[in-house]
Amino acid sequence: MLLENKVAVIYGAGSRVGRAVARTFAREGAELFLAGRTRATLDAVADEIRTAGGRAVTTRLDARDEKDVNAFVDGVAGRAGRVDISFNLIGYDAAPTLPKPPAGLPAREFARPVPTAATWSHFLTTGAAARHMAVRGSGAILAWGGPGPDASGGPGGFAVALDALERLRRQWASQLGRYGIRVVTLKAAAQETPEPIRTVTPADIAAAAALVASDRTRATASATVDVSRGALVNF
């Protein structure tokens, strides 16, 4: 199995993609610690995994809360002995697409996704995992980059948030590579497109994530992995 004896932390495990990732990671042998803001959704995922013979523990938390994130990851390391994989899949609280140019949006609405994607969440979850991974000299930190920095996706700050996330990923990768920690972003196009041949499902994303998180791709360090089936050729 790709992730046998690995300890994986997944934030946003109750989302469509998060559920698929959790199920796939468990099937590949990982011990899972699932985090999110909705207890019932997390428990449903964990119950499914345990019924299939996997291992999963749930924790309700907001991945933008520094104290809670640090306590959660320290608890995982204390219970499991280590943290091998950290995958942040939380949503970025982006405003809905509106029929107006960026200049017509309130500044607060435009900027809403940016601190969630970069400052509050990914910075916290990456730092919390890296402290434990550095001691062991290995680890994989994954981020979910969404459909890529495409300005045509709407007038809000979602594309800006993804650009910020990529800059943060490069910064973390340059600093953590010396400790054997890999930092990778996965990107996919819309899951339903007019071209059926390019449709990407949560299961497709989960399969790619399991491979990237495994030791088979340990040479893939600071990278962006395209799981769009060619829809993001120019990103």
Side-chain angles (χ1 to χ4, degrees):
M1 294 184 285
L2 286 173
L3 304 178
E4 188 173 10
N5 298 322
K6 298 290 187 182
V7 176
V9 173
I10 302 175
Y11 301 90
S15 66
R16 284 186 67 206
V17 176
R19 291 196 301 269
V21 169
R23 289 193 296 262
T24 300
F25 277 23
R27 190 165 58 248
E28 293 293 346
E31 179 180 0
L32 301 183
F33 292 84
L34 311 179
R37 291 187 289 181
T38 306
R39 168 71 71 178
T41 306
L42 291 174
D43 286 346
V45 177
D47 287 345
E48 181 181 349
I49 288 170
R50 288 191 288 261
T51 298
R55 297 165 293 169
V57 177
T58 63
T59 299
R60 183 183 180 278
L61 64 77
D62 186 336
R64 299 170 298 180
D65 187 297
E66 183 172 7
K67 181 179 178 180
D68 285 354
V69 168
N70 287 333
F72 168 61
V73 177
D74 289 347
V76 170
R79 175 171 175 167
R82 64 190 189 280
V83 178
D84 298 305
I85 303 163
S86 178
F87 196 173
N88 190 324
L89 283 151
I90 74 164
Y92 297 149
D93 198 23
T97 301
L98 301 174
K100 61 179 70 173
L105 291 174
R108 183 184 298 273
E109 185 174 321
F110 175 82
R112 185 166 53 184
V114 179
T116 298
T119 308
W120 285 346
S121 182
H122 282 278
F123 180 85
L124 296 178
T125 59
T126 298
R131 289 198 308 274
H132 295 282
M133 293 175 176
V135 174
R136 295 178 56 84
S138 66
I141 295 174
L142 278 61
W144 174 231
D150 180 2
S152 66
F158 183 58
V160 177
L162 295 181
D163 285 343
L165 175 60
E166 276 304 277
R167 182 63 186 90
L168 182 66
R169 190 265 304 164
R170 290 194 294 270
Q171 180 176 321
W172 275 121
S174 67
Q175 296 174 5
L176 299 179
R178 71 190 69 176
Y179 301 105
I181 301 171
R182 303 184 292 116
V183 187
V184 179
T185 302
L186 279 76
K187 291 185 176 181
Q191 293 178 26
E192 295 181 6
T193 72
E195 303 173 84
I197 194 172
R198 288 188 174 180
T199 298
V200 176
T201 68
D204 294 328
I205 297 167
L211 180 60
V212 171
S214 75
D215 291 338
R216 294 188 186 182
T217 57
R218 62 184 180 181
T220 302
S222 175
T224 298
V225 176
D226 180 350
V227 288
S228 72
R229 300 188 73 176
L232 296 179
V233 169
N234 295 318
F235 80 91

